[in-house]
Amino acid sequence: MASRTKATSGKSGKTSKSGDQAASNGTGTSTGYSKDQLLEMYRQMYLIRQFEVACGENYARGLIRGFLHLYIGQEATGVGTIAPLNDDDYIVTHYRDHGHAIARGLDVNRSMAELFGRKTGLSKGKGGSMHLFDAAKKFMGGHAIVGGQLPLALGLAFSQKYLDTKGVTVCYFGDGSTNQGLYHETLNLAAVWKVPMLFVLENNGYGMGSAVERVRAGSPDFYTDVEKYGIEAAVVDGMDVIAVREATEQAVKRLRAGDGPLFIEAKTFRYVGHSYADGQKYRGSEEIDEWRKRDPVEVYPQMLVKRDIATQKEIDDLKAAVDEEVVAAVKFAEESPQPDPDELFDDIYA
Amino acid sequence: MAEILFREAIKRGLAEALDNDPNVFIMGEDIGEYGGAYAVTDGFLKQYGPKRVIDTPISEAAFLGAGIGAAAGGLRPIVEFMSISFSLVAFDQIVNMAANLRYMSGGQISVPMLMRAPTGAGVQLGATHSQSFETWLADVPGMRCVCPSTPYDALGLIRTALKENNPVMFAEPALLYAMRGEVPDEYYEVPFGSANIQRAGDDVTLVSYGAGMRVLAAAADELAAKGVSAEVIDLRSLNPVDYDTLLTSIEKTNRALLLDTSRRKGGAMAEIASDLHERAMEWLDGPVVRIGAEDVPWPYNRGLEQEVYPQSSDVLAGLQKHYGI
Ligand SMILES: Cc1ncc(C[n+]2csc(CCOP(=O)(O)OP(=O)(O)O)c2C)c(N)n1
Ligand SMILES: [Mg+2]
């Protein structure tokens, strides 16, 4: 696997040390990516960030309701893992799904409209923030029973193998979901069936207010356990979009070759509360500040400028375009009609 | 027209689907090498191979969930539970995922998946193996739920189930696997949501499904001996329910009795009875009578189990009490 990721292969697998800061955020090595690719990753991360900020604002305005889980802080993981995928690959995720949706290129207007519960939303206002879907883009949700999305991804990967599509299925889940039996059942079955499934654990250190070490016996690392299922696992700095992308590219290549499931643990962090309603009583601000220093949305573009990959003006222009896009998405959502009551009984049965 | 066993009728329907559609596959615990707990899939592994006949680990939630994913991915999975009681382990996946997926995706994703499970009491398996959770699943929007009472219906319904693009629970009364019945050689289907008048009559409408039809058949014989002509209706489908057939019958008989072989409390018939009270009140000479199992966990002992299980004598007593017949 990539130099800045560590894989377990029966030998010792250690977590990236925090001293690897120089290598983090793509500042230490030359990347194999073109300028367009590097800028596109930034555009997506910045778009996710601005989209999420706008969601928070519109929640405060009462235009978005229900539970709202923001992806702020985790952008590099979503963008880095989705960048290497093809149109044929499936994505399955949990309720913290806006970032994955945007990285997959789901329509930003219709995504925002879904959060607003409007007729023009991806699910016509029937899904909401936690249930984003776009079957045409093979984005298979947005699932809000913790751990419940894992077997869905397993089955999609099964279908890819059965139909010999050469596609892969990427499944996102949080540290909290690893305490569900389904996590273990799915790892086992994925390995038994040798399906092309990439498990992406977004370890942000908390499940709601429960810090990993308070609810998990043994090591705070997860990837070290997975080899017991015969699944090779890598750990990657989830704040470093290039490291995440490299690790995913290697994994996806192997999945396509039919080697069976693989696992990536991305160490990441959410700067904001679990959901919009969270006062974060369970943690101090120092921890947040510490992670903020490595905020991919801040550090990564600085690296691009410092290394003469892009000019500050290019970065600024890109930001201005994204800002406009988000303003337009909110406008689109706000001006969209509410669903008609007679749509209530549509879409229950095929 | 040949006489075959109930389990053979199911097997025939499954085999047809496996023969006709390469995207059909079947999975479950010990359905392959072992041949299935009730021998429905015996020989399939040899005939269709391990790609399409898959022995799973004892992970109901995961393999049922994988069935949902496979269905969403373009396949048509058939998932067998060893008992409908074990489906509880997978209820999260059935209800939260399979049944809701289409709605919460705004119609983008369908789940053409057939679930099969032996259901019901009467074979002394005790509390954890005798339950009838098709009555719970019948309540869930997005689900289809059927339960045959004859080999004819078993084959006809399973053919329909294997064309249905929604998740279907196909409940197989464990008591009936060895039942014999006539099945035509010509192709036919039994549509969902069509109740079957097994016996026409004028004086009272008796309704049940699955193994309950045996109890009603005995009750109808006993009623006939008393000069009471019973119309006996098999719902066949719990979701959707064929209210038209029930209402037409009640308009004629003015009396109705519903029987569940599962617990009377909260059973499928509770909902139907309530609806019938609203919709058929003008024709009814008394309340819609409900007969069902006692409100206890299923006991193992034969005598106790039969005590809990509804009998034809309970049907006659109910009619006597509420209609004086
Ligand atoms: C089965 C289930 N139990 C509880 C919840 C409530 N809940 C929603 S998210 C969450 C925490 C999950 O944490 P994690 O998996 O680490 O994901 P993160 O929110 O950190 O991205 C909980 C307890 C739920 N949605 N489903
Ligand atoms: Mg978490």
Side-chain angles (χ1 to χ4, degrees):
Chain A
M1 292 224 151
S3 57
R4 276 172 294 111
T5 62
K6 299 199 166 82
T8 58
S9 50
K11 288 163 250 145
S12 76
K14 280 201 198 123
T15 317
S16 309
K17 304 239 173 51
S18 49
D20 292 358
Q21 290 272 330
S24 263
N25 302 309
T27 51
T29 52
S30 67
T31 74
Y33 300 111
S34 69
K35 177 176 176 180
D36 282 354
Q37 286 175 317
L38 292 166
L39 274 176
E40 175 58 14
M41 286 194 279
Y42 174 61
R43 191 192 69 81
Q44 289 184 12
M45 291 197 292
Y46 184 69
L47 174 57
I48 294 169
R49 177 67 56 90
Q50 295 308 101
F51 184 93
E52 297 296 60
V53 168
C55 288
E57 287 167 5
N58 285 285
Y59 198 89
R61 292 173 68 203
L63 291 172
I64 297 174
R65 304 298 296 266
F67 285 139
L68 178 69
H69 309 89
L70 301 178
Y71 199 60
I72 292 178
Q74 299 181 211
E75 293 90 344
T77 301
V79 169
T81 44
I82 290 175
L85 302 184
N86 295 339
D87 292 349
D88 271 352
D89 299 329
Y90 286 113
I91 294 172
V92 176
T93 180
H94 60 169
Y95 48 85
R96 197 179 300 287
D97 57 353
H98 309 171
H100 309 115
I102 289 172
R104 183 56 164 184
L106 269 62
D107 188 87
V108 175
N109 289 355
R110 294 190 63 207
S111 300
M112 188 63 86
E114 186 59 35
L115 272 67
F116 276 59
R118 302 302 166 102
K119 192 186 173 96
T120 53
L122 291 163
S123 297
K124 307 176 203 165
K126 286 170 172 162
S129 160
M130 302 192 286
H131 307 118
L132 297 180
F133 290 87
D134 189 344
K137 294 214 153 77
K138 294 202 158 32
F139 189 85
M140 307 302 272
H143 298 278
I145 300 298
V146 169
Q149 77 278 21
L150 286 154
L152 181 80
L154 169 68
L156 287 163
F158 175 95
S159 75
Q160 290 169 316
K161 182 174 176 178
Y162 191 101
L163 298 168
D164 198 20
T165 67
K166 303 283 183 250
V168 307
T169 299
V170 177
C171 185
Y172 298 92
F173 52 99
D175 43 280
S177 66
T178 65
N179 292 317
Q180 290 280 21
L182 264 183
Y183 168 69
H184 303 276
E185 291 185 30
T186 305
L187 283 169
N188 181 61
L189 251 180
V192 169
W193 286 349
K194 295 197 170 47
V195 293
M197 173 169 174
L198 180 61
F199 292 82
V200 178
L201 165 57
E202 294 193 68
N203 181 357
N204 60 12
Y206 294 88
M208 283 188 73
S210 299
V212 167
E213 55 274 18
R214 287 203 295 121
V215 293
R216 174 175 165 83
S219 149
D221 293 326
F222 293 84
Y223 70 101
T224 48
D225 292 352
V226 176
E227 66 183 277
K228 299 189 180 84
Y229 293 97
I231 297 176
E232 206 174 298
V235 63
V236 62
D237 177 359
M239 310 308 271
D240 180 347
V241 70
I242 291 172
V244 173
R245 182 169 182 166
E246 284 173 353
T248 311
E249 267 171 12
Q250 300 210 14
V252 165
K253 210 159 116 197
R254 290 179 51 189
L255 290 167
R256 290 200 208 288
D259 288 358
L262 292 169
F263 187 107
I264 292 176
E265 174 178 356
K267 305 273 193 196
T268 181
F269 198 77
R270 59 167 160 77
Y271 300 139
V272 294
H274 166 72
S275 68
Y276 196 78
D278 176 5
Q280 300 193 68
K281 283 185 292 199
Y282 49 86
R283 66 184 185 189
S285 60
E286 314 79 55
E287 187 186 8
I288 304 176
D289 294 343
E290 205 46 48
W291 281 88
R292 278 265 185 210
K293 289 184 193 153
R294 304 168 54 223
D295 183 348
V297 178
E298 296 296 329
V299 177
Y300 177 78
Q302 287 167 12
M303 180 277 290
L304 292 182
V305 173
K306 199 166 130 207
R307 293 181 54 201
D308 292 329
I309 293 168
T311 63
Q312 188 58 47
K313 169 136 186 3
E314 283 170 317
I315 300 285
D316 292 343
D317 288 350
L318 187 152
K319 284 168 82 168
V322 166
D323 291 344
E324 267 178 44
E325 188 178 352
V326 172
V327 168
V330 171
K331 185 165 185 292
F332 173 83
E334 206 171 337
E335 289 173 358
S336 287
Q338 302 283 349
D340 300 326
D342 59 14
E343 289 169 36
L344 202 53
F345 294 94
D346 295 346
D347 306 322
I348 302 174
Y349 293 102
Chain B
M1 197 76 110
E3 276 221 335
I4 61 171
L5 298 178
F6 192 88
R7 72 156 61 85
E8 291 167 346
I10 298 167
K11 184 174 191 173
R12 185 187 294 181
L14 299 177
E16 283 175 4
L18 285 161
D19 286 336
N20 295 336
D21 181 353
N23 288 344
V24 170
F25 71 98
I26 180 163
M27 64 175 156
E29 291 157 13
D30 284 312
I31 63 161
E33 301 276 356
Y34 184 95
Y38 290 90
V40 173
T41 55
D42 199 23
F44 275 12
L45 178 59
K46 204 160 159 238
Q47 195 173 348
Y48 300 104
K51 181 180 176 187
R52 303 182 65 203
V53 179
I54 301 169
D55 277 324
T56 64
I58 309 163
S59 305
E60 284 84 358
F63 72 72
L64 187 284
I68 300 168
L75 304 181
R76 183 176 283 281
I78 301 168
V79 183
E80 176 176 312
F81 292 113
M82 241 184 216
S83 157
I84 208 162
S85 287
F86 311 157
S87 76
L88 282 190
V89 174
F91 248 54
D92 160 48
Q93 287 292 314
I94 302 174
V95 177
N96 277 318
M97 191 63 88
N100 285 339
L101 201 46
R102 188 173 164 80
Y103 199 73
M104 65 186 178
S105 68
Q108 296 185 67
I109 300 173
S110 307
V111 182
M113 175 177 68
L114 170 61
M115 295 169 265
R116 305 173 30 243
T119 188
V123 283
Q124 285 194 264
L125 295 177
T128 58
H129 286 54
S130 304
Q131 300 162 103
S132 304
F133 292 119
E134 71 276 7
T135 67
W136 287 7
L137 287 172
D139 279 355
V140 179
M143 280 289 306
R144 294 293 187 207
C145 185
V146 295
C147 181
S149 72
T150 63
Y152 179 95
D153 286 344
L155 179 55
L157 286 171
I158 213 153
R159 283 172 171 158
T160 304
L162 284 162
K163 290 185 172 171
E164 175 77 25
N165 286 325
N166 299 296
V168 179
M169 173 53 86
F170 186 90
E172 304 171 1
L175 269 180
L176 303 185
Y177 278 122
M179 170 191 199
R180 273 188 188 284
E182 295 208 326
V183 170
D185 299 327
E186 313 79 65
Y187 186 85
Y188 67 96
E189 290 173 13
V190 173
F192 286 6
S194 87
N196 179 32
I197 302 175
Q198 284 195 344
R199 186 192 297 216
D202 298 318
D203 300 330
V204 60
T205 301
L206 305 181
V207 183
S208 190
Y209 71 93
M213 299 315 296
R214 283 192 163 175
V215 185
L216 290 190
D221 286 345
E222 292 163 35
L223 287 166
K226 285 174 53 177
V228 177
S229 150
E231 181 141 292
V232 181
I233 299 179
D234 179 3
L235 283 179
R236 299 197 287 202
S237 164
L238 297 179
N239 184 350
V241 171
D242 177 4
Y243 278 101
D244 288 344
T245 297
L246 301 185
L247 292 169
T248 304
S249 178
I250 294 170
E251 187 175 4
K252 172 175 66 174
T253 64
N254 309 123
R255 302 181 183 98
L257 177 142
L258 313 182
L259 179 132
D260 266 312
T261 53
S262 57
R263 269 193 289 284
R264 180 182 185 278
K265 188 165 104 182
M269 297 301 174
E271 175 70 18
I272 296 172
S274 169
D275 269 347
L276 290 177
H277 279 131
E278 283 181 5
R279 297 170 69 174
M281 192 57 120
E282 56 180 314
W283 302 312
L284 283 165
D285 288 347
V288 174
V289 182
R290 288 188 55 224
I291 304 295
E294 299 290 348
D295 190 16
V296 296
W298 284 99
Y300 158 68
N301 172 276
R302 174 85 186 150
L304 291 179
E305 185 181 41
Q306 288 307 307
E307 203 52 46
V308 175
Y309 200 88
Q311 312 286 340
S312 59
S313 54
D314 299 323
V315 174
L316 268 73
L319 292 176
Q320 180 66 46
K321 178 171 170 199
H322 293 285
Y323 291 110
I325 57 170

